[in-house]
Amino acid sequence: MAQHTYHIAPKNLYGTVIYPLNELRKLYPETYQEHIEKYRDREALLSLRIASLDCLWNDVLHFSPVHPSQIRHAFKDTGHGWPSLPTKWIEADPFILGLSEQNAALYFPRQREKGDFTVDALQFKPWFDGALQGLSKLPETTFEYYRRCKANGERPFLFHLIPHVLFCGSVDLSEVEVISV
């Protein structure tokens, strides 16, 4: 079975292409303003350079190797509500996207203190064939994080401690599946 990557389907998509934030800012400034809100209090990430891709954090699209149904189940199992979260997701085959060492990287988030959004260069690994091997299961640390957030009355970050596939490019929706979760 082919391994896929997943991205939340934007609710306010113009046309049939998904763009990284910096490109979105040029093409659709109003939509950019809506999407940049998710970085409130985490603005430092927007100037983070991804050395292996020679670009910024907001020059890439962020995909998850974990099927969104696992995230949904973990959210529900830890007492978080799901209806307010997106239910449409893009399911993309890395081969169809054309992921390569030149345009993609893996990012491995680490456990951190609340409010710490520093990222270490060692958390990034170059893309390679077979990169998704062993990354399709929701990490137990993510499940525990959701549980801690619920116990502390905090809103969790959806993809905390889940590896990311970073793609320096845009995605035409005609090349991917849109699934409901």
Side-chain angles (χ1 to χ4, degrees):
M1 182 168 138
Q3 291 185 302
H4 292 89
T5 58
Y6 303 90
H7 187 284
I8 296 171
K11 291 180 183 176
N12 51 358
L13 180 68
Y14 293 105
T16 61
V17 178
I18 298 174
Y19 299 100
L21 279 174
N22 279 343
E23 204 167 332
L24 192 64
R25 180 175 39 196
K26 295 178 214 164
L27 298 170
Y28 303 105
E30 291 166 7
T31 303
Y32 167 81
Q33 288 303 321
E34 293 173 36
H35 287 281
I36 201 69
E37 280 299 310
K38 62 185 140 196
Y39 288 99
R40 183 184 304 243
D41 300 325
R42 304 184 300 154
E43 290 84 0
L45 288 173
L46 300 175
S47 60
L48 176 68
R49 178 153 292 287
I50 303 167
S52 64
L53 298 177
D54 192 28
C55 68
L56 297 173
W57 181 264
N58 42 336
D59 286 327
V60 298
L61 291 172
H62 298 244
F63 287 85
S64 166
V66 176
H67 193 281
S69 66
Q70 292 183 57
I71 298 168
R72 182 192 69 211
H73 289 302
F75 247 60
K76 286 182 161 186
D77 289 350
T78 56
H80 295 281
W82 187 255
S84 64
L85 296 174
T87 57
K88 297 281 187 196
W89 295 73
I90 294 162
E91 180 180 68
D93 181 320
F95 179 76
I96 300 295
L97 289 179
L99 300 188
S100 70
E101 191 174 311
Q102 289 74 39
N103 66 15
L106 297 169
Y107 166 65
F108 295 91
R110 62 174 171 74
Q111 190 79 309
R112 62 183 100 214
E113 296 299 317
K114 186 175 179 177
D116 174 13
F117 298 106
T118 58
V119 176
D120 182 309
L122 296 175
Q123 292 176 259
F124 295 94
K125 304 289 181 211
W127 178 262
F128 61 93
D129 286 339
L132 298 181
Q133 203 71 27
L135 299 180
S136 63
K137 186 177 185 307
L138 184 78
E140 183 62 31
T141 53
T142 300
F143 189 83
E144 292 302 322
Y145 163 74
Y146 293 164
R147 185 178 286 134
R148 262 193 327 278
C149 285
K150 184 63 177 176
N152 296 333
E154 299 170 351
R155 183 173 169 241
F157 290 109
L158 192 61
F159 299 104
H160 187 57
L161 302 174
I162 297 174
H164 293 42
V165 176
L166 307 177
F167 174 53
C168 192
S170 55
V171 174
D172 189 322
L173 292 179
S174 67
E175 298 175 356
V176 299
E177 296 290 325
V178 176
I179 61 172
S180 293
V181 175

